[in-house]
C-alpha cells in the first residue's frame, strides 16, 4: 500500500497575491505555508524578527520589506487583544488591499474598528476553526485548515458593509487552504464559540485545577474519562486569557447558566442523607438524574466525523499488546477484511503493557469483523 | 503478522471456587468470564432471570441453584444503592464465605454494614477501576480488568477488621483477573474517586447540557476539544445518580471548591470592559490567567500510559484520507520503521473526507519517523 495523495490540489489557487501576513505564529505561518504550496506570493511581518525568520525557514513566505508591491490581501494573525489595532493600521497602510483577521472572537474587533472609523468596505473578519496544542511558526502546517470550518463574518448592513469582492477574497483564501467556509454574523459566532470552545476550555481548566492538591494515590486511579475531560487544560494561559476577555459577555452568559445547573446539583448533594440515614428526600435523586440526562441529550447533538449528525457506529473492542507494530497489525487486518474503520479510540491500561482498541465500524459490518479478527487470533469481545 | 497472545496466563488462578457472583451485569459477568477462563467454578445470581441467562450464554458461569455447594468467595456486583443490603444478606446466607463487592463508593457500604452488625471479619470491600460505556452482561469482557487498578479497602481497626485470608482472597481475585491491586482506606478511596471520576463526570454533563439549546450552527463549529470534554456525558444517568448519591459528601466538597474557582472567573468576566471601552481593571486578566495556569499544573499531574508520570512524547502529525485501509497503511509503515507507537489520536475533519493522525512516539524517534513517512509519500508536518 502506498502513501496517500493530498486532499487538496497543489498549484491551484483562486487567491492572487501578493498576500501580506501580519503575525507569523502558528496560524499566520500555516496560512503562508498553504498559499506558498500553490505558488502565491506571501510576505511576512511580525514584531518578533525571530518569528519572521522561523516562518520563512519553514517555507511560509519571505520577510516583508520596504518597497514591497502593495498587497492584494492582508491576513492579520495577531493575538486577539491587538488584532483590531493591527487591522486598522493595515487598512490605512494598504489603501487598496482587502484585510481579514483570524482572531477567535469577532464582535470586539468589529466594534473597535467601527469606533475608530476604519474603512469597513475592505475588511472582512474571519475565524478558521483550527489549532494545535503547540504554538509558534515551527508548529505550522500547510494542511492545518484542511476540512475545518472557516467562519466568514457577515457584517450585516450596520455601518458600511464590505464589498462583495472583499468577501469573495476571504472565501477564496479559506477554500484555497482546504477549509469549509461558514457564514455567520459576529454575535452568533461569538455566542457559538463561547459554548463549543470557550466554556469547555474553562471547565477543563477548573476540573484540572482540582488535581493540583490531590494526593498521588488519587491520581493513580485516573482513567480515560479524566484524561479526556482535562486534555485541553494544557492550553496556553496567555492566549486563552486574551480570548476569554475578548468574548467575556458571551462566555459569562454560558458560564452563569452552567453555574445555575451546578448549584442545583450542589443543593441536591447537600440533601442526600448520610450513610444508613434513610432514603433521600423527594426530588434529590431526580435533580441529579435530570442533570445527567440533560448531558446525554446535549452530547448526542455533537456532530461526529465529517460533520453531520453523530452516527451510531458499532464498536468492536480488541485487546492490543504494547509491542511495536501491534496496533498497525490490527488495523492492517481490519483493512484486509474490507471493513472501513470509522473511528478508533485507544484505552490505555495503567501499570500493565496492554491496551484496548475500540474500533468503530458501520453496524452492519461489526459481526463479520469480529469473526474475522477472532479467526486471526485477536481477543475480541462481544 | 499474527495476532497477539493474551497478557494473562489462562488456566492459572489462585482463586479457588466455587465463586458466587451476585449481580450479572457488566462487572459481575466480566468477573465470571475471567474466572471461567481459568476453570474456576462460578455461579450467577441476579434479580433478573434474563441477566443470568445472558451472562451464562456469554460464558460467565452457571445459574445458581438450590443445593449448590457453599461458595468460598461471594462477589457482589449489584448497583451501589443496594450493595450494602446484598452484602449483609450474603454474609448471613453463606457463613463460611469471604464476601466482597465492587461498588464504586466504599464508605457508605462499610458504614451501613457496621450499622446492621454484619460479620466484618469476612467482608472486604473492593473497587475495580474499569468500566465501559455499554452496560449489561452482553458487554462483559474477560479482560475488562486487565491492567486496571483494583482498589482493596483497608478497613482499619475500627470495628472488627477482616481476617488476613479474606483480604488475600480478594487480592487473588484481582490478580487472577489481571488487575493491579491498590490498598486504600474507604474515605481516601471515596475522596479520590470524587476528584478523578465523579467530578469529571458531573462537569462533562454540565457542559454537554449547555449544548441542548445551542443553535445548529454552533454545533457545526465543534472541534475535538468539545468532543473530548463531553464524551463521558453519554453515561447512564440511573447508575450515576446512585454513585453520586452514595458519595455525596466527597463530591460536594470537590464541586464546591470548583464553584469557588468558577465564581472568581465569573466575577472577572463581569469586570472586563465592553469592546473599545478601555483596558481591563487591575486583577481581572490575572484572575483568568491564574485559573488557566492552575489547570496547566493540574493536568500535568495526570499519569500517562502505563501509570507513572505523564511522559512528553513527540507528536508526528500525518494527513490520512478517509479511504478503507488508510490508517492501517500508515500504522503498518510506522511499524516497519521499527518505531513504537506510544499513543494515537485522530482529529476528524468536518465536511471533508480527511483526518489528521497524531502519532506519539519517543522524542528521539520522531525525526527519523518523519523522514521515513515523508519518503513513503505521506504528508507529514514538522
Amino acid at each position: 500500500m502506498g502513501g496517500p495523495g493530498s486532499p487538496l490540489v497543489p498549484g491551484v489557487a483562486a487567491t492572487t497575491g501578493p498576500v501580506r501576513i501580519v503575525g507569523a505564529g502558528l496560524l499566520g505561518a500555516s496560512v503562508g505555508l498553504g498559499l506558498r504550496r500553490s505558488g502565491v506570493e506571501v510576505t511576512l511581518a511580525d514584531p518578533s524578527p525571530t518569528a519572521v525568520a522561523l516562518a520563512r525557514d519553514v517555507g511560509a513566505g519571505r520577510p516583508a520589506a520596504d518597497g514591497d508591491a502593495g498587497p492584494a490581501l492582508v491576513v492579520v494573525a495577531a493575538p486577539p487583544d491587538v488584532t483590531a489595532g493591527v487591522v486598522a493600521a493595515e487598512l490605512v497602510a494598504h489603501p487598496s488591499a482587502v484585510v481579514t483577521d483570524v482572531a477567535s472572537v469577532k464582535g470586539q474587533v468589529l466594534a473597535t474598528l467601527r469606533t475608530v472609523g476604519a474603512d469597513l468596505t475592505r475588511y472582512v473578519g474571519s475565524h478558521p476553526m483550527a489549532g494545535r496544542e503547540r504554538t509558534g511558526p515551527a508548529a505550522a502546517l500547510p494542511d492545518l485548515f484542511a476540512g475545518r470550518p472557516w467562519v466568514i463574518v457577515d457584517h450585516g448592513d450596520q455601518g458600511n458593509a464590505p464589498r462583495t469582492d472583499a468577501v469573495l477574497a476571504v472565501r477564496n483564501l479559506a477554500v484555497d487552504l482546504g477549509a469549509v467556509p461558514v457564514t455567520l454574523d459576529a454575535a452568533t459566532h461569538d455566542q457559538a464559540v463561547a459554548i463549543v470552545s470557550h466554556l469547555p476550555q474553562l471547565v477543563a481548566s477548573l476540573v484540572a485545577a482540582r488535581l493540583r492538591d490531590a494526593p498521588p494515590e488519587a491520581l493513580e486511579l485516573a482513567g480515560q474519562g479524566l484524561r479526556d475531560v482535562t486534555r485541553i487544560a494544557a492550553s496556553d494561559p496567555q492566549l486563552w486569557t486574551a480570548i476569554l476577555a475578548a468574548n467575556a459577555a458571551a462566555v459569562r452568559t454560558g458560564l452563569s447558566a452552567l453555574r445555575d445547573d451546578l448549584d442545583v446539583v450542589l443543593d441536591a448533594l447537600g440533601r442526600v442523607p448520610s450513610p444508613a440515614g434513610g432514603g433521600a428526600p423527594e426530588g434529590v435523586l431526580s435533580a441529579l438524574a435530570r442533570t445527567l440526562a440533560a448531558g446525554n441529550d446535549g452530547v448526542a447533538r455533537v456532530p461526529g466525523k465529517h460533520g453531520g449528525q453523530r452516527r451510531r457506529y458499532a464498536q468492536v473492542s480488541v485487546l492490543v499488546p504494547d509491542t511495536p507494530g501491534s496496533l498497525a497489525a490490527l488495523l492492517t487486518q481490519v483493512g484486509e477484511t474490507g471493513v472501513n474503520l470509522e473511528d478508533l479510540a485507544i484505552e490505555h491500561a495503567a501499570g500493565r503493557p496492554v491496551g484496548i482498541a475500540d474500533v468503530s465500524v458501520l453496524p452492519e459490518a461489526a459481526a463479520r469483523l469480529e469473526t474475522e479478527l477472532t479467526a486471526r487470533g485477536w481477543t475480541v469481545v462481544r
Side-chain angles (χ1 to χ4, degrees), chain A:
Chain A
M1 285 170 282
S6 164
L8 303 177
V9 185
V12 174
T15 298
T16 51
V19 174
R20 171 177 159 85
I21 297 174
V22 185
L26 170 67
L27 292 184
S30 294
V31 170
L33 266 174
L35 290 175
R36 287 300 304 142
R37 192 166 52 177
S38 302
V40 178
E41 185 184 350
V42 175
T43 65
L44 301 161
D46 194 289
S48 159
T50 304
V52 170
L54 266 175
R56 177 200 57 204
D57 290 351
V58 301
R62 64 172 174 78
D66 295 343
D68 280 347
L73 176 66
V74 177
V75 179
V76 174
D81 47 349
V82 301
T83 292
V86 175
V87 168
E90 293 293 319
L91 283 166
V92 169
H94 305 289
S96 62
V98 171
V99 179
T100 188
D101 74 298
V102 298
S104 42
V105 181
K106 305 316 312 175
Q108 193 184 64
V109 175
L110 193 54
T112 305
L113 291 173
R114 286 198 174 116
T115 303
V116 302
D119 177 4
L120 293 177
T121 64
R122 293 185 289 119
Y123 166 71
V124 180
S126 75
H127 179 206
M129 304 298 298
R132 312 190 73 194
E133 283 164 21
R134 286 186 279 171
T135 59
L141 301 173
D143 293 301
L144 185 68
F145 311 104
R148 304 295 173 122
W150 186 308
V151 175
I152 296 174
V153 178
D154 176 1
H155 294 193
D157 49 10
Q158 188 194 1
N160 37 5
R163 299 188 315 242
T164 302
D165 67 292
V167 176
L168 286 178
V170 178
R171 197 181 75 178
N172 282 339
L173 174 70
V175 175
D176 285 343
L177 295 170
V180 180
V182 176
T183 302
L184 293 175
D185 67 78
T188 302
H189 167 273
D190 289 355
Q191 286 156 15
V193 293
I195 296 297
V196 303
S197 170
H198 304 174
L199 202 58
Q201 174 62 52
L202 262 178
V203 167
S205 298
L206 290 168
V207 172
R210 294 292 99 223
L211 304 173
R212 272 179 312 171
D213 304 321
E217 59 266 28
L219 292 160
E220 271 175 37
L221 303 186
Q224 197 56 42
L226 180 71
R227 286 194 193 93
D228 285 353
V229 170
T230 59
R231 183 181 60 83
I232 56 173
S235 300
D236 178 19
Q238 188 180 333
L239 173 65
W240 273 94
T241 296
I243 291 172
L244 295 171
N247 202 22
V251 175
R252 191 163 196 276
T253 300
L255 195 61
S256 294
L258 187 147
R259 193 189 63 162
D260 291 346
D261 290 351
L262 190 157
D263 282 344
V264 170
V265 173
L266 265 184
D267 172 70
L269 289 171
R271 293 192 292 131
V272 172
S274 60
E282 199 174 319
V284 166
L285 296 186
S286 63
L288 297 175
R290 261 198 310 275
T291 299
L292 295 157
N296 285 178
D297 293 345
V299 74
R301 296 192 68 206
V302 178
K305 194 180 181 187
H306 300 179
Q309 277 308 102
R310 180 196 291 248
R311 173 150 188 185
R312 292 281 169 187
Y313 293 116
Q315 222 173 56
V316 178
S317 300
V318 186
L319 209 71
V320 181
D322 182 28
T323 49
S326 289
L327 189 60
L330 170 65
L331 297 189
T332 299
Q333 296 182 24
V334 170
E336 285 167 8
T337 66
V339 172
N340 194 23
L341 182 143
E342 301 292 342
D343 204 349
L344 174 68
I346 301 172
E347 301 173 38
H348 293 304
R352 185 175 261 269
V354 66
I356 294 170
D358 288 324
V359 177
S360 294
V361 298
L362 291 179
E364 54 270 28
R368 183 164 64 82
L369 182 62
E370 290 184 5
T371 305
E372 298 216 14
L373 289 180
T374 305
R376 290 160 190 248
W378 295 92
T379 304
V380 185
V381 191
R382 264 149 298 274

PDB file of all heavy atoms in Angstrom, chain A residues 181-204:
ATOM      1  N   PRO A 181     -15.957  27.067   4.140  1.00  0.00           N
ATOM      2  CA  PRO A 181     -16.441  28.378   4.575  1.00  0.00           C
ATOM      3  C   PRO A 181     -17.830  28.280   5.207  1.00  0.00           C
ATOM      4  O   PRO A 181     -18.685  27.541   4.719  1.00  0.00           O
ATOM      5  CB  PRO A 181     -16.512  29.194   3.268  1.00  0.00           C
ATOM      6  CG  PRO A 181     -15.870  28.361   2.213  1.00  0.00           C
ATOM      7  CD  PRO A 181     -15.877  26.946   2.680  1.00  0.00           C
ATOM      8  N   VAL A 182     -18.015  29.002   6.306  1.00  0.00           N
ATOM      9  CA  VAL A 182     -19.294  29.053   7.019  1.00  0.00           C
ATOM     10  C   VAL A 182     -19.562  30.529   7.298  1.00  0.00           C
ATOM     11  O   VAL A 182     -18.710  31.202   7.874  1.00  0.00           O
ATOM     12  CB  VAL A 182     -19.209  28.299   8.365  1.00  0.00           C
ATOM     13  CG1 VAL A 182     -20.511  28.453   9.147  1.00  0.00           C
ATOM     14  CG2 VAL A 182     -18.863  26.833   8.159  1.00  0.00           C
ATOM     15  N   THR A 183     -20.717  31.032   6.889  1.00  0.00           N
ATOM     16  CA  THR A 183     -21.019  32.446   7.112  1.00  0.00           C
ATOM     17  C   THR A 183     -21.883  32.624   8.358  1.00  0.00           C
ATOM     18  O   THR A 183     -22.917  31.976   8.501  1.00  0.00           O
ATOM     19  CB  THR A 183     -21.748  33.033   5.890  1.00  0.00           C
ATOM     20  OG1 THR A 183     -20.916  32.860   4.736  1.00  0.00           O
ATOM     21  CG2 THR A 183     -22.033  34.523   6.089  1.00  0.00           C
ATOM     22  N   LEU A 184     -21.429  33.463   9.271  1.00  0.00           N
ATOM     23  CA  LEU A 184     -22.171  33.766  10.497  1.00  0.00           C
ATOM     24  C   LEU A 184     -21.990  35.249  10.815  1.00  0.00           C
ATOM     25  O   LEU A 184     -20.947  35.828  10.501  1.00  0.00           O
ATOM     26  CB  LEU A 184     -21.624  32.965  11.687  1.00  0.00           C
ATOM     27  CG  LEU A 184     -21.782  31.443  11.700  1.00  0.00           C
ATOM     28  CD1 LEU A 184     -21.070  30.860  12.911  1.00  0.00           C
ATOM     29  CD2 LEU A 184     -23.262  31.072  11.726  1.00  0.00           C
ATOM     30  N   ASP A 185     -22.993  35.869  11.458  1.00  0.00           N
ATOM     31  CA  ASP A 185     -22.734  37.227  11.937  1.00  0.00           C
ATOM     32  C   ASP A 185     -21.883  37.158  13.203  1.00  0.00           C
ATOM     33  O   ASP A 185     -21.773  36.098  13.840  1.00  0.00           O
ATOM     34  CB  ASP A 185     -24.041  37.994  12.156  1.00  0.00           C
ATOM     35  CG  ASP A 185     -24.853  37.418  13.286  1.00  0.00           C
ATOM     36  OD1 ASP A 185     -24.518  37.689  14.462  1.00  0.00           O
ATOM     37  OD2 ASP A 185     -25.809  36.671  13.000  1.00  0.00           O
ATOM     38  N   ALA A 186     -21.264  38.299  13.544  1.00  0.00           N
ATOM     39  CA  ALA A 186     -20.264  38.292  14.617  1.00  0.00           C
ATOM     40  C   ALA A 186     -20.844  37.826  15.951  1.00  0.00           C
ATOM     41  O   ALA A 186     -20.230  37.031  16.665  1.00  0.00           O
ATOM     42  CB  ALA A 186     -19.650  39.690  14.758  1.00  0.00           C
ATOM     43  N   ALA A 187     -22.057  38.300  16.275  1.00  0.00           N
ATOM     44  CA  ALA A 187     -22.627  37.931  17.572  1.00  0.00           C
ATOM     45  C   ALA A 187     -22.941  36.438  17.622  1.00  0.00           C
ATOM     46  O   ALA A 187     -22.680  35.762  18.627  1.00  0.00           O
ATOM     47  CB  ALA A 187     -23.897  38.750  17.840  1.00  0.00           C
ATOM     48  N   THR A 188     -23.496  35.909  16.536  1.00  0.00           N
ATOM     49  CA  THR A 188     -23.807  34.473  16.506  1.00  0.00           C
ATOM     50  C   THR A 188     -22.523  33.655  16.626  1.00  0.00           C
ATOM     51  O   THR A 188     -22.468  32.653  17.352  1.00  0.00           O
ATOM     52  CB  THR A 188     -24.541  34.112  15.197  1.00  0.00           C
ATOM     53  OG1 THR A 188     -25.730  34.896  15.123  1.00  0.00           O
ATOM     54  CG2 THR A 188     -24.898  32.636  15.151  1.00  0.00           C
ATOM     55  N   HIS A 189     -21.486  34.085  15.899  1.00  0.00           N
ATOM     56  CA  HIS A 189     -20.191  33.398  16.004  1.00  0.00           C
ATOM     57  C   HIS A 189     -19.684  33.395  17.441  1.00  0.00           C
ATOM     58  O   HIS A 189     -19.276  32.363  17.973  1.00  0.00           O
ATOM     59  CB  HIS A 189     -19.161  34.071  15.100  1.00  0.00           C
ATOM     60  CG  HIS A 189     -17.760  33.615  15.391  1.00  0.00           C
ATOM     61  ND1 HIS A 189     -16.973  34.213  16.361  1.00  0.00           N
ATOM     62  CD2 HIS A 189     -17.026  32.600  14.887  1.00  0.00           C
ATOM     63  CE1 HIS A 189     -15.816  33.576  16.428  1.00  0.00           C
ATOM     64  NE2 HIS A 189     -15.816  32.601  15.543  1.00  0.00           N
ATOM     65  N   ASP A 190     -19.705  34.576  18.061  1.00  0.00           N
ATOM     66  CA  ASP A 190     -19.121  34.676  19.403  1.00  0.00           C
ATOM     67  C   ASP A 190     -19.905  33.854  20.423  1.00  0.00           C
ATOM     68  O   ASP A 190     -19.323  33.249  21.330  1.00  0.00           O
ATOM     69  CB  ASP A 190     -19.049  36.150  19.834  1.00  0.00           C
ATOM     70  CG  ASP A 190     -17.989  36.916  19.052  1.00  0.00           C
ATOM     71  OD1 ASP A 190     -17.256  36.288  18.245  1.00  0.00           O
ATOM     72  OD2 ASP A 190     -17.892  38.143  19.232  1.00  0.00           O
ATOM     73  N   GLN A 191     -21.239  33.840  20.269  1.00  0.00           N
ATOM     74  CA  GLN A 191     -22.035  33.004  21.173  1.00  0.00           C
ATOM     75  C   GLN A 191     -21.757  31.521  20.914  1.00  0.00           C
ATOM     76  O   GLN A 191     -21.700  30.721  21.841  1.00  0.00           O
ATOM     77  CB  GLN A 191     -23.530  33.307  20.989  1.00  0.00           C
ATOM     78  CG  GLN A 191     -23.923  34.641  21.596  1.00  0.00           C
ATOM     79  CD  GLN A 191     -25.173  35.233  20.954  1.00  0.00           C
ATOM     80  OE1 GLN A 191     -25.906  34.538  20.257  1.00  0.00           O
ATOM     81  NE2 GLN A 191     -25.390  36.518  21.185  1.00  0.00           N
ATOM     82  N   ALA A 192     -21.589  31.159  19.650  1.00  0.00           N
ATOM     83  CA  ALA A 192     -21.326  29.757  19.313  1.00  0.00           C
ATOM     84  C   ALA A 192     -19.999  29.295  19.905  1.00  0.00           C
ATOM     85  O   ALA A 192     -19.928  28.254  20.568  1.00  0.00           O
ATOM     86  CB  ALA A 192     -21.331  29.566  17.792  1.00  0.00           C
ATOM     87  N   VAL A 193     -18.927  30.060  19.689  1.00  0.00           N
ATOM     88  CA  VAL A 193     -17.635  29.611  20.207  1.00  0.00           C
ATOM     89  C   VAL A 193     -17.589  29.682  21.732  1.00  0.00           C
ATOM     90  O   VAL A 193     -16.851  28.927  22.368  1.00  0.00           O
ATOM     91  CB  VAL A 193     -16.439  30.369  19.568  1.00  0.00           C
ATOM     92  CG1 VAL A 193     -16.315  30.014  18.088  1.00  0.00           C
ATOM     93  CG2 VAL A 193     -16.534  31.866  19.782  1.00  0.00           C
ATOM     94  N   ALA A 194     -18.395  30.572  22.332  1.00  0.00           N
ATOM     95  CA  ALA A 194     -18.466  30.577  23.796  1.00  0.00           C
ATOM     96  C   ALA A 194     -18.921  29.208  24.297  1.00  0.00           C
ATOM     97  O   ALA A 194     -18.368  28.674  25.265  1.00  0.00           O
ATOM     98  CB  ALA A 194     -19.421  31.674  24.287  1.00  0.00           C
ATOM     99  N   ILE A 195     -19.914  28.635  23.619  1.00  0.00           N
ATOM    100  CA  ILE A 195     -20.489  27.357  24.071  1.00  0.00           C
ATOM    101  C   ILE A 195     -19.625  26.162  23.657  1.00  0.00           C
ATOM    102  O   ILE A 195     -19.399  25.242  24.439  1.00  0.00           O
ATOM    103  CB  ILE A 195     -21.919  27.182  23.495  1.00  0.00           C
ATOM    104  CG1 ILE A 195     -22.839  28.268  24.037  1.00  0.00           C
ATOM    105  CG2 ILE A 195     -22.476  25.802  23.823  1.00  0.00           C
ATOM    106  CD1 ILE A 195     -23.038  28.223  25.523  1.00  0.00           C
ATOM    107  N   VAL A 196     -19.155  26.137  22.403  1.00  0.00           N
ATOM    108  CA  VAL A 196     -18.481  24.921  21.924  1.00  0.00           C
ATOM    109  C   VAL A 196     -16.970  24.954  22.137  1.00  0.00           C
ATOM    110  O   VAL A 196     -16.310  23.932  21.947  1.00  0.00           O
ATOM    111  CB  VAL A 196     -18.789  24.619  20.427  1.00  0.00           C
ATOM    112  CG1 VAL A 196     -20.282  24.502  20.203  1.00  0.00           C
ATOM    113  CG2 VAL A 196     -18.157  25.643  19.500  1.00  0.00           C
ATOM    114  N   SER A 197     -16.424  26.101  22.523  1.00  0.00           N
ATOM    115  CA  SER A 197     -14.965  26.170  22.659  1.00  0.00           C
ATOM    116  C   SER A 197     -14.523  26.821  23.971  1.00  0.00           C
ATOM    117  O   SER A 197     -13.740  26.244  24.717  1.00  0.00           O
ATOM    118  CB  SER A 197     -14.392  26.936  21.456  1.00  0.00           C
ATOM    119  OG  SER A 197     -13.029  27.231  21.635  1.00  0.00           O
ATOM    120  N   HIS A 198     -15.040  28.022  24.270  1.00  0.00           N
ATOM    121  CA  HIS A 198     -14.508  28.750  25.425  1.00  0.00           C
ATOM    122  C   HIS A 198     -14.972  28.145  26.750  1.00  0.00           C
ATOM    123  O   HIS A 198     -14.197  28.028  27.698  1.00  0.00           O
ATOM    124  CB  HIS A 198     -14.880  30.224  25.309  1.00  0.00           C
ATOM    125  CG  HIS A 198     -14.422  30.850  24.010  1.00  0.00           C
ATOM    126  ND1 HIS A 198     -14.741  32.117  23.614  1.00  0.00           N
ATOM    127  CD2 HIS A 198     -13.654  30.348  23.013  1.00  0.00           C
ATOM    128  CE1 HIS A 198     -14.212  32.363  22.420  1.00  0.00           C
ATOM    129  NE2 HIS A 198     -13.548  31.313  22.038  1.00  0.00           N
ATOM    130  N   LEU A 199     -16.253  27.759  26.795  1.00  0.00           N
ATOM    131  CA  LEU A 199     -16.771  27.143  28.021  1.00  0.00           C
ATOM    132  C   LEU A 199     -16.078  25.796  28.301  1.00  0.00           C
ATOM    133  O   LEU A 199     -15.626  25.559  29.435  1.00  0.00           O
ATOM    134  CB  LEU A 199     -18.287  26.968  27.875  1.00  0.00           C
ATOM    135  CG  LEU A 199     -19.116  26.850  29.141  1.00  0.00           C
ATOM    136  CD1 LEU A 199     -18.931  28.065  30.023  1.00  0.00           C
ATOM    137  CD2 LEU A 199     -20.599  26.701  28.774  1.00  0.00           C
ATOM    138  N   PRO A 200     -15.973  24.912  27.310  1.00  0.00           N
ATOM    139  CA  PRO A 200     -15.233  23.649  27.566  1.00  0.00           C
ATOM    140  C   PRO A 200     -13.791  23.904  28.012  1.00  0.00           C
ATOM    141  O   PRO A 200     -13.286  23.199  28.889  1.00  0.00           O
ATOM    142  CB  PRO A 200     -15.264  22.937  26.207  1.00  0.00           C
ATOM    143  CG  PRO A 200     -16.484  23.465  25.525  1.00  0.00           C
ATOM    144  CD  PRO A 200     -16.627  24.893  25.991  1.00  0.00           C
ATOM    145  N   GLN A 201     -13.132  24.908  27.438  1.00  0.00           N
ATOM    146  CA  GLN A 201     -11.759  25.215  27.849  1.00  0.00           C
ATOM    147  C   GLN A 201     -11.712  25.600  29.326  1.00  0.00           C
ATOM    148  O   GLN A 201     -10.903  25.080  30.099  1.00  0.00           O
ATOM    149  CB  GLN A 201     -11.208  26.365  26.992  1.00  0.00           C
ATOM    150  CG  GLN A 201      -9.837  26.861  27.433  1.00  0.00           C
ATOM    151  CD  GLN A 201      -8.774  25.779  27.329  1.00  0.00           C
ATOM    152  OE1 GLN A 201      -8.626  25.164  26.283  1.00  0.00           O
ATOM    153  NE2 GLN A 201      -8.057  25.529  28.401  1.00  0.00           N
ATOM    154  N   LEU A 202     -12.595  26.520  29.723  1.00  0.00           N
ATOM    155  CA  LEU A 202     -12.612  26.978  31.117  1.00  0.00           C
ATOM    156  C   LEU A 202     -12.904  25.828  32.071  1.00  0.00           C
ATOM    157  O   LEU A 202     -12.256  25.686  33.113  1.00  0.00           O
ATOM    158  CB  LEU A 202     -13.707  28.031  31.286  1.00  0.00           C
ATOM    159  CG  LEU A 202     -13.260  29.482  31.241  1.00  0.00           C
ATOM    160  CD1 LEU A 202     -14.475  30.385  31.363  1.00  0.00           C
ATOM    161  CD2 LEU A 202     -12.260  29.768  32.363  1.00  0.00           C
ATOM    162  N   VAL A 203     -13.874  25.019  31.718  1.00  0.00           N
ATOM    163  CA  VAL A 203     -14.292  23.949  32.619  1.00  0.00           C
ATOM    164  C   VAL A 203     -13.213  22.870  32.712  1.00  0.00           C
ATOM    165  O   VAL A 203     -12.970  22.319  33.791  1.00  0.00           O
ATOM    166  CB  VAL A 203     -15.654  23.400  32.153  1.00  0.00           C
ATOM    167  CG1 VAL A 203     -15.962  22.109  32.850  1.00  0.00           C
ATOM    168  CG2 VAL A 203     -16.740  24.433  32.427  1.00  0.00           C
ATOM    169  N   ALA A 204     -12.560  22.588  31.599  1.00  0.00           N
ATOM    170  CA  ALA A 204     -11.439  21.641  31.655  1.00  0.00           C
ATOM    171  C   ALA A 204     -10.368  22.166  32.613  1.00  0.00           C
ATOM    172  O   ALA A 204      -9.798  21.416  33.406  1.00  0.00           O
ATOM    173  CB  ALA A 204     -10.851  21.428  30.257  1.00  0.00           C
TER     174      ALA A 204
END
